[in-house]
């Protein structure tokens, strides 16, 4: 089915709103998870996050495994591995760093991917502007945990892989079966590890299971579903730049929910990434329309 240019422009125009909701939900979930670290460790929250998200989505979608092809299985299993690694790395990172800083370091992955995929000087300039803000937010000037920064970089690599694989799974499945299976694969990998390392702590604080369920909804179900929807509407480059809003929202969530202070330097960095994102959004509609016109001429 050939989509018209107005429809494509409309779909692209909603992408920034969906990304903003995704970021807000994800960072709110991260703040809720970090607030529970006094009772259980990061691995426990990461395990519960994937487990509850997988269970909830499986009950809602009820995927038919017999219809899944070998290519689809390879894609969802790869995404599942990335889910497990990304969750552990990021939740360990925010246990050592302010959420705003951890989100900033993690964003280096999608931004590097966006720069690598840029084909025009304009795209490169926008991505570099966002990257400048990110580096300003996480650069020298404060005493930061080296282990936290390394874990944040590991999360950044996983995040870049997640963007690519999530888009691929979204294209291979017309519904939410792909996301459901990927979350299930990730949960099968991470949940047993979390049970061994933190099972006793969870048993000693059973109320944390409710926190884990809330984190699963805020940090997994809502963001991952929105990501897959957005990546069906815009390309990976534009998505990577839109994610530049993450540090701003993360810093705000850390301040409002955990009392992590915002500095003047962070506010300047926020302004830079918001500016880059706004420019990317303004240019997205024209690019989509041009692509649609080329597709119709080719047909």
């Amino acid at each position: 089915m050939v989509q018209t240019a107005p429809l494509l422009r409309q779909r692209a125009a909603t992408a920034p709103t969906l990304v903003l909701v995704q970021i807000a939900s994800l960072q709110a979930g991260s703040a809720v998870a970090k607030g529970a670290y006094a009772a259980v460790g990061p691995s426990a929250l990461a395990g519960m996050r994937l487990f509850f998200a997988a269970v909830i989505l499986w009950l809602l979608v009820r995927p038919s495994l017999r219809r899944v092809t070998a290519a689809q299985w390879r894609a969802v299993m790869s995404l599942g591995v990335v889910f497990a690694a990304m969750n552990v790395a990021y939740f360990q990172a925010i246990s050592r760093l302010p959420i705003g800083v951890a989100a900033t370091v993690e964003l280096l992955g999608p931004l590097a991917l966006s720069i690598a995929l840029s084909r025009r000087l304009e795209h490169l300039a926008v991505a570099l502007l966002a990257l400048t803000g990110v580096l300003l937010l996480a650069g020298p000037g404060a005493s930061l945990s080296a282990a936290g920064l390394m874990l944040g970089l590991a999360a950044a690599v996983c995040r870049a892989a997640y963007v690519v694989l999530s888009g691929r799974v979204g294209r291979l499945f017309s519904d939410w079966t792909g996301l459901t299976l990927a979350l299930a694969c990730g949960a099968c990998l991470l949940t047993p590890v979390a049970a061994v390392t933190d099972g006793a702590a969870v048993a000693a604080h059973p109320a944390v299971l409710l926190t884990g369920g809330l984190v699963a909804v805020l940090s997994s179900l809502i963001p991952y579903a929105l990501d897959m929807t957005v990546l069906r509407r815009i390309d990976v480059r534009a998505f990577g730049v839109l994610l530049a809003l993450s540090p701003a929202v993360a810093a705000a969530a850390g301040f409002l929910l955990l009392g992590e202070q915002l500095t003047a330097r962070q506010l300047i960095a926020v302004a830079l990434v918001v500016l880059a994102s706004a420019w990317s959004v303004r240019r997205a509609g024209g690019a989509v329309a041009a692509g649609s016109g080329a597709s119709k001429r080719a047909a």
Side-chain angles (χ1 to χ4, degrees):
M1 180 179 178
V2 178
Q3 296 179 341
T4 64
L7 177 58
L8 287 172
R9 282 196 297 269
Q10 181 182 8
R11 286 165 61 87
T14 62
T17 301
L18 295 178
V19 172
L20 183 59
V21 173
Q22 175 262 95
I23 292 171
S25 182
L26 177 62
Q27 300 306 336
S30 297
V32 171
K34 186 170 183 176
Y37 282 0
V40 296
S43 296
L45 266 301
M48 285 189 285
R49 172 186 178 181
L50 274 187
F51 175 78
F52 286 124
V55 170
I56 293 171
L57 198 57
W58 193 285
L59 292 175
L60 291 175
V61 176
R62 298 183 180 277
S64 175
L65 301 183
R66 290 179 296 179
R67 299 180 180 178
V68 182
T69 66
Q72 289 174 324
W73 272 119
R74 286 192 295 270
V76 298
M77 291 176 69
S78 298
L79 183 56
V81 171
V82 169
F83 274 148
M86 182 172 66
N87 275 269
V88 170
Y90 186 71
F91 272 29
Q92 289 285 350
I94 65 173
S95 71
R96 296 167 171 84
L97 300 171
I99 288 180
V101 173
T104 298
V105 176
E106 186 194 35
L107 184 62
L108 293 176
L111 281 179
L113 182 64
S114 179
I115 293 172
L117 294 175
S118 296
R119 295 182 176 87
R120 296 171 56 188
L121 182 61
E122 178 185 4
H123 296 165
L124 183 61
V126 169
L128 288 176
L129 178 62
L131 184 59
T132 299
V134 168
L135 293 177
L136 180 63
L137 191 61
S143 179
L144 297 175
S145 164
L149 290 174
M150 293 301 295
L151 287 163
L153 289 173
V157 174
C158 292
R159 186 73 170 178
Y162 159 77
V163 171
V164 174
L165 291 172
S166 183
R168 182 182 177 192
V169 170
R171 291 187 295 271
L172 287 174
F173 293 87
S174 60
D175 55 12
W176 300 111
T177 297
L179 178 59
T180 303
L181 296 179
L183 284 172
C185 290
C188 287
L189 289 174
L190 185 54
T191 303
V193 176
V196 170
T197 58
D198 293 271
V202 174
H205 302 88
V208 80
L209 291 171
L210 296 177
T211 302
L214 178 60
V215 170
V217 173
L218 291 175
S219 291
S220 291
L221 282 180
I222 295 175
Y224 296 160
L226 290 176
D227 282 350
M228 201 158 286
T229 300
V230 170
L231 285 165
R232 288 170 175 157
R233 300 174 180 223
I234 60 175
D235 62 21
V236 170
R237 182 204 62 80
F239 182 74
V241 176
L242 286 176
L243 285 179
L245 291 170
S246 295
V249 178
F255 174 73
L256 293 173
L257 300 178
L258 300 173
E260 296 176 345
Q261 297 295 315
L262 292 169
T263 66
R265 179 174 176 165
Q266 289 173 333
L267 291 175
I268 294 173
V270 165
L272 289 176
V273 296
V274 169
L275 178 62
S277 298
W279 181 259
S280 177
V281 170
R282 191 177 76 84
R283 301 299 297 173
V288 171
S292 173
S295 296
K296 289 172 69 176
R297 287 191 298 270

